[in-house]
Amino acid sequence: MTGYYILAGIIFLVSWLVSNQLKRKFKKYSKVHLQNGMSGKEIAERMLADHGINDVEVISVQGRLTDHYNPANKTVNLSEPVYMQRNAAAAAVAAHECGHAVQHATAYSWLTMRSAIVPAVSVASKLSNFVIMAGLVLAFSGMAFGNWIFLIGIGLFALTTVFSFITLPVEYDASKRALAWLQTNNIVTPEEYKGSKDALKWAARTYVVAALGSLATLLYFISLFLGRR
């Protein structure tokens, strides 16, 4: 298991570095105030209206970087700073989350696929590590069926890995839609646009790191299983 702990440590370090850089970027671009004076809430409502979406509500939620779109109840949930503030970072996040609403309204295939497997992934993410550890303990104890339990755990973990990779095109497409709308409709100035684009770039990288980390861990578990056969 030493190899796993080393791998987990590397993944944690890279994830921490990217996350810290993301926070620094958002702090930087939170100081770039929009010349149009629009808040994140107003930008979100404008983008939804421009795309003919009238059944999605923009609401405020607690926390920082807790922004998300909920397709179940059709709400664009903006963290309090994004909801109220009037800067390049808030514009980027608000438009990005509305990008998901546009995906939902247009039945974007990757979002549809991701939404379809959410219930299964929710269960898999809760059970995979427990099942894997139980299988390993039983296998190392000499119980033959321990390997089969370990394999089931790997299957559960594989589902979460697939989900993390399906998430990538969903997130990148939402950012692409957001930036195109911000620029085409002159919502932001060229300088503000650069800030919004950079902020979304680093946000996307957190998903890339998570996906690669999940894949690396999955491959390690698979190699461990094959090594025991």
Side-chain angles (χ1 to χ4, degrees):
M1 294 295 287
T2 302
Y4 171 72
Y5 290 124
I6 293 175
L7 177 62
I10 293 173
I11 293 171
F12 175 80
L13 177 60
V14 174
S15 178
W16 179 80
L17 290 172
V18 173
S19 178
N20 270 13
Q21 182 69 353
L22 173 62
K23 291 176 182 177
R24 283 195 291 269
K25 290 291 184 179
F26 270 86
K27 183 177 181 180
K28 175 183 177 180
Y29 298 124
S30 290
K31 297 177 182 178
V32 179
H33 300 290
L34 298 181
Q35 290 188 15
N36 63 21
M38 296 175 70
S39 66
K41 173 181 180 292
E42 292 167 340
I43 287 174
E45 291 175 340
R46 168 77 179 274
M47 183 171 174
L48 292 173
D50 283 355
H51 286 84
I53 301 174
N54 303 310
D55 58 348
V56 172
E57 183 182 5
V58 180
I59 63 175
S60 175
V61 293
Q62 293 183 338
R64 300 184 70 86
L65 299 179
T66 52
D67 313 88
H68 64 282
Y69 171 66
N70 187 338
N73 59 11
K74 292 190 175 183
T75 56
V76 170
N77 301 266
L78 302 179
S79 59
E80 292 175 346
V82 171
Y83 187 86
M84 296 183 295
Q85 293 179 6
R86 306 165 190 273
N87 52 57
V93 174
H96 173 87
E97 298 308 332
C98 287
H100 289 308
V102 176
Q103 289 174 338
H104 190 196
T106 57
Y108 178 60
S109 58
W110 286 102
L111 179 65
T112 301
M113 188 187 308
R114 188 178 73 167
S115 299
I117 66 173
V118 163
V121 171
S122 179
V123 174
S125 63
K126 294 175 182 177
L127 296 179
S128 59
N129 288 332
F130 173 77
V131 175
I132 286 172
M133 293 306 298
L136 284 173
V137 170
L138 292 172
F140 280 115
S141 299
M143 298 182 182
F145 65 89
N147 283 328
W148 290 105
I149 294 177
F150 183 30
L151 184 60
I152 292 172
I154 291 175
L156 292 172
F157 191 87
L159 182 58
T160 66
T161 300
V162 170
F163 182 81
S164 68
F165 276 91
I166 291 176
T167 294
L168 294 182
V170 174
E171 295 301 326
Y172 274 95
D173 180 76
S175 290
K176 181 180 178 180
R177 293 172 189 264
L179 292 171
W181 177 79
L182 288 172
Q183 187 175 48
T184 302
N185 293 276
N186 297 315
I187 303 299
V188 292
T189 66
E191 189 63 29
E192 294 164 357
Y193 176 82
K194 289 180 182 178
S196 296
K197 185 177 181 179
D198 195 32
L200 290 181
K201 177 182 70 177
W202 280 97
R205 286 176 178 174
T206 63
Y207 290 99
V208 173
V209 170
L212 293 177
S214 182
L215 177 61
T217 303
L218 175 63
L219 292 176
Y220 173 77
F221 286 146
I222 292 174
S223 67
L224 195 60
F225 174 79
L226 294 176
R228 293 193 52 79
R229 294 181 64 81

